[in-house]
Amino acid sequence: MDEHARTRLAGWLTGAAGMPVLITRMTLLSGGAIQQNWALDVTQGGTEQRWVLRTDNATVLSASLPRPAEFALLQAAFAAGVAVPQPLFCCTDPDVTGAPFFVMQRVAGMAQGHRLARQAAGMGGDRALAEALGRELARIHGIRPPRPELAFLGAPPADPAHDFIARQRAALDAAGTPRPVLEWGLRHLERTAPPPPPELVLNHNDFRIGNIMVTDSRVTAVLDWEFAAWGDPHADLGWLCAPCWRFGNRSLEAGGIGPRDAFYRGYEAVSGRLIEPARVAWWELAGTIRWAVIAADQAARHLSGKERNLELALTGHIVPELEMDVLRMTGALHA
Amino acid sequence: MLERPDGPELLDTAREVLLNELLPHLPEAQRFQARMVANAMAIARRESMADAAPALAELRALLREPEAEPAALLAQLCTEIRAGRHDPGTPNHAAVAAALAALVRLRCSVSAPKALGR
């Protein structure tokens, strides 16, 4: 962001805050493949504030929500008592910094997946954090349709399981690369699909270590709301428990952090909902396939020449190990 | 016919230089990128040693398409799986599962050899 963009940004923030905002420091926190997060130190009406500015990178995933929608989700989550950074201002005018952005409070904590997983493994599994993750997810699932301010999410699916299968098949067809193992997994899902759940909730859809800020086994913030959608609550439970999100700690089934029962206990205590283990298993396989389709899509962006990027290129090479998980979960490895 | 060290040998040596001699001098922000470069070199190295012929032969025999190109073969397999023609209880179910397992082991041997040991 150049000097002119920063000057325009300070002017816009002053208008949004209704008092003078001066930018004292601005540094790129993470150059994610999809979004950019900037640490933004300001004085607002003379008081020092530590904010984060989140904006789009060049690569935008087709499945990902635009920044104003993510801002609305943060507002809903904040109001529901979910640990999220307090959302402050949202700018839809691309002329201020070059792309829409929003500003939120900066939260302390550590989000690096591999470091958190290493810490948890070092203590033989972190039950307290696994339970805390369950409680936090239950609070997210307290947000239920209909919600007029979240109208951009569209109507809730009548049958989340079959809706999921249809979407993944459409994505595979659009990508054009034949992937028989993912087809095998999707067909298994089709044969074993659970009926529609008794109630639909807001799924975060990327609730896993790496997107969650943690301090001392406590959740300080749930980040990255760009994939949120209405769905079966077991979809988020399965995503966190899927083998691909255990960061090498395959035996710590709740996100590579702790035992599954601790995570489930935290979730059930706050949600008052009983988890159906078979439904979680179904969504674990679904999540593994979904991640494989996203990973293949990221590599396709690199291959298309639209976004030449080594990280995107290497993400495609995650697909084979996800396929190994798909075969294991469908019982095909020792058939 | 061609001069040695060959491609795989050069990749090995170049990767050692990158990881052992260059990486320690890089600022933290660039180390991640250097590790990605090393990873890409390792994948290219393994790909040069991978032999897809046995897995392809298995698939060709299974689908009775001895001449099919790999992409056409995989596309046909996808169509059949989606249509339920290899569901449990069908004659080829176990054979298709075994062929998919062979295919994935080959793919992992290039992209993610650690996944083979799980």
Side-chain angles (χ1 to χ4, degrees):
Chain A
M1 222 172 271
D2 65 20
E3 204 50 48
H4 296 293
R6 288 184 195 205
T7 306
R8 285 194 302 273
L9 175 61
W12 186 89
L13 289 169
T14 296
M19 61 181 92
V21 173
L22 291 171
I23 298 173
T24 49
R25 198 161 148 268
M26 196 171 172
T27 49
L28 191 60
L29 276 176
S30 60
I34 305 158
Q35 270 82 40
Q36 284 183 358
N37 295 305
W38 293 81
L40 191 61
D41 293 354
V42 302
T43 56
Q44 180 187 222
T47 311
E48 285 183 25
Q49 299 284 352
R50 289 154 64 84
W51 294 343
V52 168
L53 180 149
R54 184 162 161 86
T55 188
D56 289 320
N57 209 341
T59 300
V60 179
L61 277 184
S62 48
S64 105
L65 293 167
R67 275 344 90 224
E70 204 180 4
F71 186 75
L73 285 160
L74 271 183
Q75 288 179 310
F78 188 74
V82 180
V84 288
Q86 184 177 0
L88 299 170
F89 316 108
C90 180
C91 175
T92 54
D93 179 1
D95 293 337
V96 179
T97 64
F101 65 87
F102 66 80
V103 175
M104 55 191 166
Q105 289 285 1
R106 192 146 91 230
V107 174
M110 209 243 297
Q112 287 152 292
H114 283 285
R115 284 181 60 188
L116 286 169
R118 235 186 348 260
Q119 284 178 6
M123 34 199 300
D126 187 341
R127 289 192 75 89
L129 179 54
E131 276 200 47
L133 290 168
R135 290 194 299 269
E136 210 57 50
L137 186 57
R139 281 189 271 273
I140 296 173
H141 289 177
I143 303 171
R144 310 228 312 263
R147 295 285 289 248
E149 77 277 26
L150 303 179
F152 54 85
L153 293 175
D159 184 341
H162 285 100
D163 182 70
F164 172 85
I165 295 164
R167 280 169 191 270
Q168 299 307 312
R169 283 178 173 163
L172 286 171
D173 290 345
T177 303
R179 299 188 179 275
V181 176
L182 301 187
E183 294 288 349
W184 180 266
L186 285 168
R187 178 64 191 158
H188 180 95
L189 289 179
E190 192 168 47
R191 285 199 319 272
T192 58
E199 57 178 351
L200 295 172
V201 301
L202 182 72
N203 273 321
H204 177 280
N205 274 336
D206 205 6
F207 188 85
R208 58 160 175 92
I209 296 305
N211 285 336
I212 298 165
M213 302 271 275
V214 172
T215 302
D216 301 329
S217 299
R218 286 181 298 108
V219 175
T220 55
V222 180
L223 308 173
D224 292 351
W225 290 75
E226 66 203 77
F227 297 113
W230 304 121
D232 184 333
H234 295 81
D236 270 343
L237 293 163
W239 184 256
L240 184 101
C241 293
C244 54
W245 294 123
R246 294 180 197 163
F247 292 88
N249 295 341
R250 305 278 284 197
S251 62
L252 297 177
E253 294 184 2
I257 290 297
R260 189 185 286 264
D261 67 295
F263 174 56
Y264 282 12
R265 183 178 314 132
Y267 182 85
E268 290 183 336
V270 169
S271 70
R273 201 178 283 124
L274 274 182
I275 292 171
E276 297 175 45
R279 229 181 240 274
V280 179
W282 193 94
W283 284 104
E284 268 180 57
L285 173 58
T288 306
I289 294 169
R290 176 172 159 241
W291 176 210
V293 170
I294 294 172
D297 180 56
Q298 295 198 5
R301 290 192 161 264
H302 166 78
L303 288 168
S304 74
K306 266 186 258 167
E307 172 75 358
R308 302 276 297 170
N309 176 298
L310 183 54
E311 188 175 4
L312 293 178
L314 288 171
T315 302
H317 282 275
I318 297 173
V319 175
E321 59 185 289
L322 296 171
E323 291 178 342
M324 187 74 97
D325 287 340
V326 167
L327 290 184
R328 188 176 297 106
M329 285 189 250
T330 56
L333 273 191
H334 307 288
Chain B
M1 197 157 51
L2 299 176
E3 192 63 37
R4 285 186 64 190
D6 61 15
E9 288 165 335
L10 286 171
L11 280 171
D12 279 346
T13 309
R15 191 167 177 272
E16 281 165 24
V17 172
L18 172 66
L19 288 177
N20 299 335
E21 291 170 44
L22 296 180
L23 189 117
H25 300 289
L26 290 175
E28 189 57 39
Q30 271 73 48
R31 287 188 187 192
F32 174 62
Q33 287 184 296
R35 283 193 198 94
M36 287 200 298
V37 172
N39 189 14
M41 293 166 86
I43 292 171
R45 165 77 169 87
R46 293 191 296 263
E47 185 181 295
S48 71
M49 311 303 281
D51 181 7
L56 276 174
E58 198 175 334
L59 283 176
R60 287 197 175 101
L62 194 60
L63 300 184
R64 299 203 175 89
E65 291 282 355
E67 310 292 333
E69 292 297 315
L73 201 65
L74 294 178
Q76 184 187 331
L77 182 57
C78 285
T79 305
E80 293 183 8
I81 291 170
R82 196 183 286 194
R85 275 152 60 192
H86 301 301
D87 282 0
T90 57
N92 275 348
H93 175 74
V96 170
L100 291 178
L103 184 69
V104 168
R105 285 196 188 97
L106 170 75
R107 286 161 58 70
C108 284
S109 75
V110 173
S111 301
K114 279 185 196 158
L116 293 173
R118 281 175 198 147

